[in-house]
């Protein structure tokens, strides 16, 4: 019997519009503030432009367009003098507010001597910059939430790293809803998965269990990892806070994982991640730092796995989904709010949406795969 | 451009469900007994008695709405496709 030909037999094509020409409105983390705090200018390429970040004598971190409005010199190659950045070309002095404060060889500063100053925020050891193509200041309600454990003695400091990715940053945001890739790309095993989008926040609730087929057999004495609980929210387009707890036999390890990025250009972004771990019983002193460093290592590996996929995948605006996939379209609808003017944000982009995934079938299939991998491993080690 | 999730066209549609506690109506969909999609609007969010007042605070689910959706599925007013 030959199948009946219908619309559903036509070949599915991958659709992708041009990359967006604007960069998302929102707070973007540029990295650890201490990295920028040495009194020297730092060059950052972000939002398709060159920026200079410097800490003035007053202790404030400032972010300006890198190119001097006088003759185009690059301020990132200049020198911090007092509270100002001095251009290496003619020593024009620019303040953190974007105004030229002084031209040592001139009696007065010309009118119009103002460059782009980016609203910056130094919070919890991290430097944030506000991007808005409309040039408006950041509304209070999209403020980056404080991270409770950051800077506290009963938590470790940040273990922070960054990677440059040659892809549009939508790829990393898609991970919010992509449960299945956590099994296939990252070798984890989700058992519960839910998304909630509301306002400028997109959250992923995910619980998982350890995978015996990818873990080295546990050494005697070290506690067995039972599973993990993760609640991860994007606050705006680029900054995700993940309250991540690993459950071990007899103890929990609490951590906060940051997954954030800023666009360099339309087809490149800087992906950053950082982790802090709570010190506690069974995890005092250096043990917590070792755990945090180890976690940072795992996260690095995880992102390298993502990057390998991203570098060869196609951008796809019309993903073909099965019912056990997450809400990719609704996530992108939420994400769209950051790419339109503030007064063009529609209710559908920000109204609360919930999606709880049915993990019954995935868990069955993955259990079987883990079993089969273990059996294969046993057979191979038996024949050696 | 915002596109439509084709699963809503090819599979079960979104259907209204009224919360038995606050009477707000949301759009709900079940692709199976264990899967649920809920589309709220501003009115429903305003009416919800469990939703935290503070914006941005995490809120995984409204228990009363979950119970209401379950009841709608059991009584058949919310369609659940056969496995």
């Amino acid at each position: 019997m030959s199948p009946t030909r219908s619309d559903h037999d036509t070949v599915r094509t991958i659709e992708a519009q041009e990359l967006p020409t604007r960069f998302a409105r929102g707070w973007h983390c540029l990295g650890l503030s201490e990295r920028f705090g040495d009194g020297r200018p730092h060059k950052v390429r972000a939002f398709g432009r060159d920026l200079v970040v410097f800490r003035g004598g007053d202790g404030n971190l400032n972010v300006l367009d890198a190119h001097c409005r006088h003759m185009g010199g690059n301020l990132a190659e200049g020198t911090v003098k007092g509270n100002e950045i001095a251009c290496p070309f003619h020593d024009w002095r620019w303040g953190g507010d974007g105004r030229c404060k002084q031209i040592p060889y001139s009696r007065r500063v010309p009118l119009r001597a103002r460059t782009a100053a980016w609203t910056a925020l130094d919070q919890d050891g991290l430097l944030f910059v506000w991007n808005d193509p409309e040039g408006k200041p950041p509304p209070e309600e999209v403020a980056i939430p404080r991270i409770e454990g950051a800077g506290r003695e009963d938590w470790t400091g940040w273990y922070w790293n960054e990677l440059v990715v040659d892809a549009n940053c939508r790829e990393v945001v898609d991970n919010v809803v992509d449960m299945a890739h956590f099994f296939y790309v990252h070798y984890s095993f989700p058992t519960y998965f839910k998304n909630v989008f509301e306002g400028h926040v997109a959250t992923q609730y995910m619980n998982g269990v350890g995978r015996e087929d990818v873990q080295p057999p546990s050494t005697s004495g070290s506690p067995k990892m039972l599973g993990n609980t993760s609640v991860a929210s994007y606050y705006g387009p680029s900054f995700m806070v993940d309250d991540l707890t690993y459950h071990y036999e007899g103890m929990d390890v609490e951590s906060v994982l940051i997954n954030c990025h800023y666009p360099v250009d339309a087809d490149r972004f800087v992906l950053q991640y950082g982790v802090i771990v709570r010190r506690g019983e069974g995890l005092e002193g250096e043990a917590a730092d070792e755990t945090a460093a180890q976690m940072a290592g795992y996260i690095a590996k995880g992102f390298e796995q993502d990057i390998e996929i991203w570098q060869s995948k196609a951008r796809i605006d019309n993903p073909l989904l099965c019912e056990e996939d997450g809400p990719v379209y609704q996530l992108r609808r939420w994400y769209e709010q950051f790419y339109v003017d503030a007064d063009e944000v529609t209710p559908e982009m920000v109204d609360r949406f919930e999606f709880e995934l049915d993990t019954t079938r995935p868990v069955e299939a993955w259990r079987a795969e883990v079993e089969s991998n273990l059996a294969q491993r046993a057979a191979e080690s038996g024949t050696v | 451009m915002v596109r439509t999730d084709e699963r809503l066209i090819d599979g079960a549609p979104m259907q209204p469900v009224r919360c038995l506690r606050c009477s707000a109506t949301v759009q709900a969909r079940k692709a199976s007994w264990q899967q649920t999609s809920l589309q709220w609007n501003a009115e429903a969010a305003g009416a919800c008695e469990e939703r935290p007042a503070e914006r941005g605070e995490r809120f995984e689910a409204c228990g009363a709405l979950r119970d209401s959706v379950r009841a709608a599925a059991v009584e058949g007013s919310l369609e659940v496709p056969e496995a």
Side-chain angles (χ1 to χ4, degrees):
Chain A
M1 196 176 88
S2 66
T4 333
R5 221 182 140 72
S6 74
D7 282 355
H8 299 126
D9 289 329
T10 53
V11 172
R12 175 83 169 191
T13 51
I14 288 181
E15 295 168 14
Q17 288 189 314
E18 293 288 298
L19 292 174
T21 50
R22 66 195 277 172
F23 297 99
R25 174 182 55 255
W27 285 107
H28 292 75
C29 178
L30 296 182
L32 293 179
S33 1
E34 65 181 18
R35 196 188 125 199
F36 301 103
D38 58 2
R40 283 204 282 265
H42 295 263
K43 193 183 293 186
V44 175
R45 171 109 190 139
F47 312 110
R49 12 205 327 188
D50 292 312
L51 309 179
V52 58
V53 182
F54 68 98
R55 191 188 288 282
D58 56 9
N60 291 335
L61 279 171
N62 306 294
V63 183
L64 301 178
D65 267 11
H67 294 114
C68 181
R69 298 310 199 238
H70 171 223
M71 294 281 280
N74 193 330
L75 302 177
E77 303 293 337
T79 317
V80 177
K81 296 180 179 172
N83 295 334
E84 290 134 29
I85 179 78
C87 182
F89 203 178
H90 307 90
D91 204 29
W92 284 38
R93 312 286 177 85
W94 298 89
D97 60 0
R99 294 187 185 278
C100 180
K101 305 290 181 186
Q102 194 196 343
I103 303 164
Y105 65 88
S106 171
R107 256 189 226 106
R108 66 172 68 97
V109 173
L111 294 171
R112 308 172 217 276
R114 197 165 163 206
T115 189
W118 296 65
T119 304
L121 169 72
D122 184 2
Q123 176 174 292
D124 290 329
L126 306 173
L127 175 65
F128 297 88
V129 63
W130 171 254
N131 179 56
D132 183 0
E134 292 179 271
K136 292 179 186 158
E140 188 52 42
E141 58 269 25
V142 301
I144 296 290
R146 296 301 304 263
I147 295 157
E148 205 198 322
R152 269 176 35 177
E153 297 223 329
D154 52 342
W155 286 70
T156 68
W158 289 114
Y159 285 77
W160 194 269
N161 225 322
E162 63 174 58
L163 298 153
V164 178
V165 184
D166 285 309
N168 178 267
C169 52
R170 188 176 76 180
E171 302 297 349
V172 63
V173 177
D174 275 350
N175 279 359
V176 173
V177 293
D178 190 352
M179 180 185 77
H181 101 288
F182 286 102
F183 182 86
Y184 296 104
V185 179
H186 301 309
Y187 306 112
S188 57
F189 195 136
T191 54
Y192 174 80
F193 195 89
K194 179 172 179 176
N195 289 114
V196 177
F197 313 138
E198 184 169 355
H200 73 297
V201 182
T203 301
Q204 173 198 77
Y205 297 85
M206 178 163 62
N207 301 339
V209 292
R211 265 180 73 172
E212 281 178 69
D213 62 329
V214 291
Q215 282 173 358
S218 66
T219 48
S220 60
S222 70
K224 194 180 168 208
M225 212 272 271
L226 303 172
N228 53 74
T229 308
S230 161
V231 182
S233 300
Y234 266 104
Y235 293 93
S238 74
F239 189 74
M240 176 183 259
V241 182
D242 182 1
D243 293 314
L244 175 60
T245 304
Y246 282 99
H247 309 290
Y248 291 90
E249 249 165 15
M251 73 169 199
D252 280 353
V253 174
E254 273 181 71
S255 66
V256 175
L257 165 64
I258 301 298
N259 160 15
C260 64
H261 65 270
Y262 62 85
V264 173
D265 288 298
D267 55 2
R268 175 175 287 183
F269 63 97
V270 173
L271 179 62
Q272 306 182 84
Y273 58 88
V275 62
I276 55 174
V277 171
R278 183 180 218 140
R279 303 179 198 280
E281 213 175 305
L283 209 60
E284 282 107 356
E286 281 179 19
D289 293 278
E290 279 167 25
T291 302
Q294 198 178 38
M295 278 181 71
Y298 290 142
I299 301 157
K301 213 172 277 176
F303 280 129
E304 281 157 19
Q305 292 159 342
D306 277 320
I307 289 168
E308 207 176 311
I309 296 288
W310 296 334
Q311 278 173 345
S312 61
K313 81 179 285 295
R315 179 175 171 86
I316 179 165
D317 291 348
N318 61 332
L320 177 62
L321 304 180
C322 65
E323 294 285 7
E324 285 74 14
D325 284 320
V328 182
Y329 286 85
Q330 292 83 354
L331 174 75
R332 291 187 177 172
R333 182 181 71 182
W334 169 85
Y335 190 51
E336 183 67 13
Q337 69 178 290
F338 307 112
Y339 288 87
V340 297
D341 285 353
D343 64 5
E344 284 170 14
V345 175
T346 59
E348 60 166 11
M349 296 174 190
V350 292
D351 278 347
R352 181 179 173 89
F353 175 77
E354 301 178 38
F355 187 103
E356 183 175 340
L357 211 143
D358 178 358
T359 57
T360 316
R361 174 65 195 163
V363 166
E364 270 173 28
W366 295 341
R367 279 214 182 108
E369 189 164 333
V370 168
E371 286 304 318
S372 138
N373 289 344
L374 287 173
Q376 195 179 339
R377 188 196 280 178
E380 279 166 7
S381 67
T383 55
V384 171
Chain B
M1 188 175 86
V2 176
R3 292 169 183 256
T4 305
D5 185 344
E6 287 159 316
R7 295 178 295 186
L8 301 179
I9 301 163
D10 301 339
M14 299 293 276
Q15 292 174 277
V17 169
R18 184 201 279 256
C19 179
L20 299 170
R21 182 172 175 189
C22 73
S23 294
T25 298
V26 301
Q27 295 295 315
R29 175 182 194 259
K30 288 188 81 67
S32 67
W33 283 98
Q34 282 77 25
Q35 193 279 331
T36 309
S37 305
L38 296 173
Q39 177 64 65
W40 298 49
N41 59 21
E43 198 188 332
C48 181
E49 291 164 25
E50 294 188 29
R51 197 168 156 273
E54 199 166 323
R55 222 185 124 115
E57 197 179 318
R58 283 166 177 162
F59 175 47
E60 187 171 353
C62 169
L65 181 59
R66 189 171 46 210
D67 293 345
S68 309
V69 169
R70 189 180 297 144
V74 169
E75 70 170 37
S77 60
L78 177 62
E79 181 193 334
V80 183
E82 293 295 316

